[in-house]
Amino acid sequence: MNVPQLICQKKNGEPLSREQIRFLVSNYVAGKIPDYQISALLMAIWFTGMTAAETTELTIAMAESGDVADLSAIEGVKADKHSTGGVADSTTLIVAPLVAACGCKVAKMSGRGLGHTGGTIDKLESIPGFSVDQSMSSFVQTVSDCGLSVIGQTADLAPADKLLYALRDVTCTVDSIPLIAASIMSKKLATGSDVIVLDVKTGNGAFMQDLPSAVCLAETMVKIGTAAGKKISALVTDMNQPLGSNVGNALEIREIIDVLNGKRSGDLKTVSFAIASQILITSGIASRIEHAHEKLENALTSGRALDCLARMIAAQSGNPGVVDQPELLPSAQLQIAVTAQTGGSIKFIDTARVGHCAAILGAGRKKKQDPIDPAVGICMEKRLGDQVVKGETLAVFHVNDEKHLRESMELFLKSIVIEENYADLPKLIYEVIGFDEKK
Amino acid sequence: MNVPQLICQKKNGEPLSREQIRFLVSNYVAGKIPDYQISALLMAIWFTGMTAAETTELTIAMAESGDVADLSAIEGVKADKHSTGGVADSTTLIVAPLVAACGCKVAKMSGRGLGHTGGTIDKLESIPGFSVDQSMSSFVQTVSDCGLSVIGQTADLAPADKLLYALRDVTCTVDSIPLIAASIMSKKLATGSDVIVLDVKTGNGAFMQDLPSAVCLAETMVKIGTAAGKKISALVTDMNQPLGSNVGNALEIREIIDVLNGKRSGDLKTVSFAIASQILITSGIASRIEHAHEKLENALTSGRALDCLARMIAAQSGNPGVVDQPELLPSAQLQIAVTAQTGGSIKFIDTARVGHCAAILGAGRKKKQDPIDPAVGICMEKRLGDQVVKGETLAVFHVNDEKHLRESMELFLKSIVIEENYADLPKLIYEVIGFDEKK
């Protein structure tokens, strides 16, 4: 096969065949096709799109470019979830213990945070002693023993995705729905679970800012998963404000524990329950939403979900005492309130900017290599639609290094729009793209 | 400046500024921007096009990426011509002596043939002793002394074009009118002439197969040249059959001599006169077409044009005797007639294929490094619309190596469609996009 001819075919809007896609992916990973041809192809894909069949073939070729995790030693249904990323979006560490307590096995490989979004791995690492680097055999053992395990992605999981993503990042071809879908789903397929539930975020703190794009991405990924033989469903949920109240790694672990021990409800719990319900239904553990909710409430109030989390922490060398004594988590030296400059109703929150404010304090990174401070971050005290009076606390900043505090606070105040009239509140869950056994 | 942001800007259809284009070209030539970013940018340009201003800025940045020929030592008007390439298209070596004999100076750097098209440099090298490799100072001297000189392109002429063309070739981004226009015009600007006349070919033997694309390319190049301060005009001419009768290097030199010594007329002479007239008018040497034609006929019948050619050949170490004794040119061992398999009217000639037939015999090359045989080629005896009877000679093949003769002859017969009814003849000159002093 001739690479320029394949680029030409794609450029002219003709779909690539399974064999052509496999040829391109395998030879690119093998270093036999240069970056400059693949980047031209990616740009042609950006303009012409990909058919459902092409996207599926690309995903499978990428998934099979490296190791595919063998979870066969784990008994029962193996479930995985994925969020497209947001601010204060710590559903994974609520959903996984909840469904594990209901008999589902969650074997999850997660990523680190970048830009304004947090990463599950960074959050877990704020727990004293916790290790995200586990061998495949201890990963499988922890899932079998505790019902869940969350580890960092191994180097050889979907190497084609790593190469392609790095190339897309520097050639402005990230924002293509088929390429995003293939990137996410290739890792999900390589991770080897039977059941996959996706949480596609939409809004000003999400990668997919507008709802139609988010729905399209969700549908595309459900189609890929179904075609690849997975039981899969997706939710499209709001990211027009931080999902939880806390933005920052240890701060988010505190909030997770508060949800799991029943002290906190709100949007984070609502979305977590929605995702967990889909997992139970898609897995066949629950037949209806009401049934799923009942099981989940029971897992929560009985303390079984929190216990699953504690056992996983212990199995991965962390201090499980944090679930009862959150003060064992790192905490920042200073707590500084940021107050409203005017009274009214919270009309708009620039969510990505709030994420950046936390990153400026040290909670996140600009570049992959940047160090982070697990203790720092922002605890929001107000949500969209809330009434505030001038001087009232909007958020508390948890700070260790005051160097960039002013910059972060100023940016934060620019991120919150307070107006006299009431705001229309966004929906929390826009759409559930259900698992359909017949597909 | 950030390269991914510039790619993004172009991808989203926003024009790049002069500074942005200069940054991209200069840093690419300096090796500071990798191929994979430029190939993505080129593909984005393929899809979104370029404004007239962008195309001009790109052309100028490419022209200035290397040496710009200094022709200031040559007195009088310096003119250049360019053809987008075709089969039996040897107008350069007719036009240049003609206008030189009328007082214009032609300092031309030419390319070699590739694929089905011939190259002026290859044709000249079929003249015994002729050297296309000349220092800049002897080039300038020859133009001053003889009125014309044709040499190979120096290595440092528009190096950005060399890099970009090589990248476009392997990433399927060749067929973009602004990129083609910038590529051609960057070399024309770097060559330093004041007057430029372009011959854009259209038809089945041309790069621009359809007329609207050819007209668009011609107009784009005229705009670039005008914006860059050149006096420029363009013709759009037919390439639905070989322009001359002879396809092959020494064979074409024979035909050139026959036109210049008055023995031959026909389409090759007609197009050459049209181009030469434009040069004289654009240069201000003639005021009207009739005036230009008169001067050119005089240059031809007086023998002055042929004498200019002979003097250039002598100045570049070639044997000037060829103009009087064409038998001094290399000739092939075998002449084999290819005859009509049926009678009727010549309705269609697949011109690119005829070029390939000559290349198969050894007159052209598939890859840049391939050797060529100057003596071989095809002399067409029929043109579109001509009547033939079964068994009548269509063309004579001039052959040294019989190895690929059968393949070439079979392909040739497939290239000529003979039908009973008369064919509509294509126009020879479709459009003249004139030089406008006011622009």
Side-chain angles (χ1 to χ4, degrees), chain A residues 3-5 7-12 35-37 39-41 43-48 167 169-175, chain B residues 3-5 7-12 35-37 39-41 43-48 167 169-175:
Chain A
V3 179
Q5 267 172 20
I7 299 172
C8 199
Q9 185 177 329
K10 196 64 221 162
K11 186 185 84 170
N12 292 324
D35 285 338
Y36 56 76
Q37 288 183 320
S39 65
L41 178 70
M43 187 58 86
I45 290 171
W46 190 90
F47 278 97
T48 62
L167 190 58
D169 195 35
V170 292
T171 57
C172 192
T173 45
V174 169
D175 57 336
Chain B
V3 179
Q5 268 172 20
I7 299 172
C8 199
Q9 184 178 329
K10 195 65 221 161
K11 186 184 84 170
N12 292 323
D35 285 337
Y36 56 77
Q37 288 183 319
S39 66
L41 178 70
M43 186 59 85
I45 290 171
W46 190 90
F47 277 97
T48 62
L167 190 59
D169 195 35
V170 292
T171 57
C172 192
T173 45
V174 169
D175 56 338

Side-chain angles (χ1 to χ4, degrees), chain B residues 67-83:
Chain B
D67 295 339
V68 174
D70 177 8
L71 306 181
S72 58
I74 302 167
E75 283 181 30
V77 181
K78 275 80 75 178
D80 196 356
K81 78 158 279 271
H82 181 82
S83 161

Side-chain angles (χ1 to χ4, degrees), chain B residues 124-145:
Chain B
L124 282 169
E125 284 188 336
S126 74
I127 299 170
F130 195 92
S131 164
V132 298
D133 300 318
Q134 300 285 323
S135 70
M136 204 56 208
S137 62
S138 33
F139 177 53
V140 164
Q141 193 62 50
T142 305
V143 177
S144 296
D145 294 348

Side-chain angles (χ1 to χ4, degrees), chain A residues 348-416:
Chain A
F348 178 84
I349 299 177
D350 186 332
T351 315
R353 265 196 182 165
V354 172
H356 280 303
C357 291
I360 290 169
L361 296 178
R365 31 173 103 70
K366 276 188 193 168
K367 296 189 308 264
K368 274 188 182 169
Q369 304 76 14
D370 292 345
I372 59 166
D373 181 339
V376 302
I378 297 168
C379 294
M380 305 282 290
E381 301 217 338
K382 297 289 172 189
R383 296 187 74 70
L384 285 176
D386 284 358
Q387 291 295 308
V388 290
V389 294
K390 189 179 171 180
E392 196 178 348
T393 299
L394 293 173
V396 177
F397 278 43
H398 292 244
V399 182
N400 273 329
D401 180 353
E402 287 174 84
K403 208 169 87 183
H404 299 291
L405 175 60
R406 194 187 181 85
E407 180 194 346
S408 177
M409 284 173 73
E410 281 172 3
L411 188 63
F412 183 82
L413 284 170
K414 279 188 205 155
S415 313
I416 313 286

